[in-house]
Amino acid sequence: AGLCAFMVSNLKVPGFVMPWEKDHAQFPERIATPLQIMLEGPIGGASFGNEFGRPQLCGLFKTYEDVHNGRYRGYHKPIMTAGGMGNIKRVHAQKKDIPPKSLIVQLGGPAMKIGIGGGAASSMATGSNDADLDFNSVQRGNAEMQRRCQEVIDACISMGEKNPILSIHDIGAGGLSNGCPELVSETGGNFWLRKVPNEDRSMSPMEIWCCEAQERYVLSVAPQSIDEFIKLCERERCPVAVIGEAASDHQLTLYDEHFNNKPIDIDIGVILKKPPKMLRNVRHLKEDHDELDLSAVDVDTAMERVLKLPAVANKTFLITITDRSITGMVTRDQMTGPYQTPVSDLAVTARSYNSTTVKQCPWESAPT
């Protein structure tokens, strides 16, 4: 089951501007307006779920923009959260140890000049970064590639105890520079930069290693299982490449065959286990607030305003654009009642097509 959340500044719908939506400051030119985001962004999120085959059953939508004690705050750099929930068999829940010489495999799409510094850029104040860097930091999704990766993973899971995957790590913020070291955090590893599938030959070594091109995983496979694993990938038409191997020296080494050097050659503990301690001096600032004056507040007007606030108002337009029944295991979605009015914040999924779960309710003596 999937979820999609949006947090943006005030919408300011033409002809329907709300009393609290004031022009506090000029909106950054390089960033789409909240209205543009909410007209197009949800379609993209829904399309990904529909194309990938995952029901979207949860989410939220809120707006905020205000000046408080001289500070202008808002979601000018919008936040979109796409997440999901699933279940996993106990036999696959724990990652296995990665012996030396185990192969490190990248599954999924190639490196591209997207998501460059995305994890860091998302934490910067709006407008403080270069416009081109802001553009390159945005990640792009590819539902078809995600589906191919998922089919390979599902095939491995279906093999039960013979699952060839020893350990797996998704590629998100930081790209391979984050996923690969964490995968071999207990052993160290050797990686070959030019074996990473690459769609843009103009990329620098840093960009290849750090880009956050989506729909990728790194995983460890035993050498004796690699042929069978690659056959699964070929069957599902999912790109796959062996990009490294686990070591036993706790050293992270990245070889660049093109420049015949080692861009990275460092004790992995420096990165993951023993980083330099950061010292921060923190002090609490006390803000002064005016006394709340409700003398001029009309209850009816106040209630109408609250019900028009996006965080409270009807979210049907975000719910009906996406499939809420695919997989065949959605036993209840958000739309409830005889007229399918979205009055619920609850959705329920089954664990499988034919399983039942017996659970002891805390207030009853008999299992239900």
Side-chain angles (χ1 to χ4, degrees):
L3 66 90
C4 201
F6 297 91
M7 284 157 272
V8 297
S9 294
N10 289 334
L11 295 177
K12 298 178 182 174
V13 179
F16 197 67
V17 177
M18 295 293 101
W20 63 84
E21 297 180 331
K22 304 182 186 302
D23 290 322
H24 299 295
Q26 185 175 359
F27 198 85
E29 292 182 359
R30 72 179 69 168
I31 295 177
T33 66
L35 184 58
Q36 288 175 311
I37 292 165
M38 292 311 300
L39 287 175
E40 300 178 24
I43 300 296
S47 297
F48 191 99
N50 290 345
E51 293 166 16
F52 174 62
R54 182 178 67 177
Q56 188 170 299
L57 301 180
C58 300
L60 69 89
F61 172 34
K62 68 180 293 186
T63 59
Y64 178 76
E65 184 180 348
D66 198 9
V67 175
H68 180 68
N69 280 357
R71 295 193 64 184
Y72 181 37
R73 296 173 175 171
Y75 291 115
H76 282 358
K77 185 180 287 185
I79 298 174
M80 176 187 175
T81 303
M85 178 204 74
N87 61 69
I88 186 169
K89 293 181 179 178
R90 191 182 303 276
V91 67
H92 303 301
Q94 299 296 324
K95 295 183 178 182
K96 298 176 182 177
D97 293 334
I98 302 177
K101 299 298 182 180
S102 295
L103 300 178
I104 308 302
V105 178
Q106 176 187 299
L107 184 70
M112 292 183 283
K113 198 172 286 189
I114 58 176
I116 305 293
S122 64
S123 302
M124 298 175 68
T126 306
S128 61
N129 203 358
D130 180 83
D132 289 337
L133 294 179
D134 263 345
F135 181 80
N136 286 338
S137 72
V138 177
Q139 300 174 350
R140 279 80 157 172
N142 182 342
E144 181 184 354
M145 187 64 70
Q146 180 72 45
R147 184 73 260 169
R148 296 183 189 184
C149 292
Q150 187 66 54
E151 292 295 343
V152 172
I153 296 170
D154 287 348
C156 293
I157 288 173
S158 68
M159 297 169 70
E161 296 285 353
K162 296 182 180 180
N163 183 352
I165 300 174
L166 301 175
S167 183
I168 188 169
H169 199 293
D170 72 303
I171 298 300
L176 296 177
S177 72
N178 181 34
C180 290
E182 290 194 356
L183 187 71
V184 297
S185 61
E186 300 299 324
T187 62
N190 300 310
F191 296 90
W192 297 278
L193 185 68
R194 301 300 163 174
K195 290 187 178 180
V196 176
N198 186 0
E199 198 71 19
D200 186 344
R201 295 300 176 181
S202 71
M203 294 175 70
S204 68
M206 183 278 289
E207 291 172 329
I208 297 172
W209 188 241
C210 298
C211 75
E212 299 169 11
Q214 294 296 277
E215 285 69 62
R216 294 191 295 173
Y217 299 86
V218 286
L219 43 91
S220 177
V221 177
Q224 63 269 23
S225 304
I226 190 64
D227 291 339
E228 184 179 15
F229 181 79
I230 289 178
K231 286 180 181 178
L232 284 175
C233 297
E234 291 174 347
R235 186 187 74 184
E236 302 299 341
R237 299 181 298 116
C238 183
V240 61
V242 178
I243 63 172
E245 67 177 18
S248 57
D249 56 1
H250 297 278
Q251 193 80 359
L252 178 67
T253 307
L254 177 64
Y255 298 92
D256 186 345
E257 302 91 322
H258 181 76
F259 292 107
N260 195 27
N261 62 6
K262 300 178 184 178
I264 301 172
D265 191 5
I266 191 173
D267 186 332
I268 202 165
V270 174
I271 303 175
L272 299 177
K273 297 182 179 179
K274 301 176 182 177
K277 290 186 177 181
M278 181 181 294
L279 198 62
R280 291 184 181 273
N281 293 321
V282 181
R283 59 193 179 95
H284 181 72
L285 297 178
K286 185 178 180 181
E287 292 187 340
D288 296 323
H289 302 271
D290 296 332
E291 291 291 330
L292 185 61
D293 183 11
L294 300 176
S295 60
V297 174
D298 176 68
V299 174
D300 291 341
T301 302
M303 288 183 62
E304 184 179 357
R305 287 193 186 185
V306 168
L307 293 175
K308 287 181 178 178
L309 192 68
V312 180
N314 189 302
K315 313 276 192 311
T316 301
F317 73 102
L318 291 174
I319 297 173
T320 55
I321 57 175
T322 183
D323 196 311
R324 305 181 306 283
S325 61
I326 194 167
T327 71
M329 290 190 288
V330 179
T331 57
R332 173 179 160 178
D333 66 14
Q334 310 96 308
M335 312 290 275
T336 60
Y339 302 107
Q340 287 290 283
T341 305
V343 294
S344 176
D345 58 0
L346 171 70
V348 181
T349 64
R351 292 178 61 192
S352 73
Y353 294 110
N354 55 10
S355 66
T356 57
T357 300
V358 177
K359 184 177 180 181
Q360 185 78 35
C361 293
W363 58 87
E364 294 180 351
S365 58
T368 59

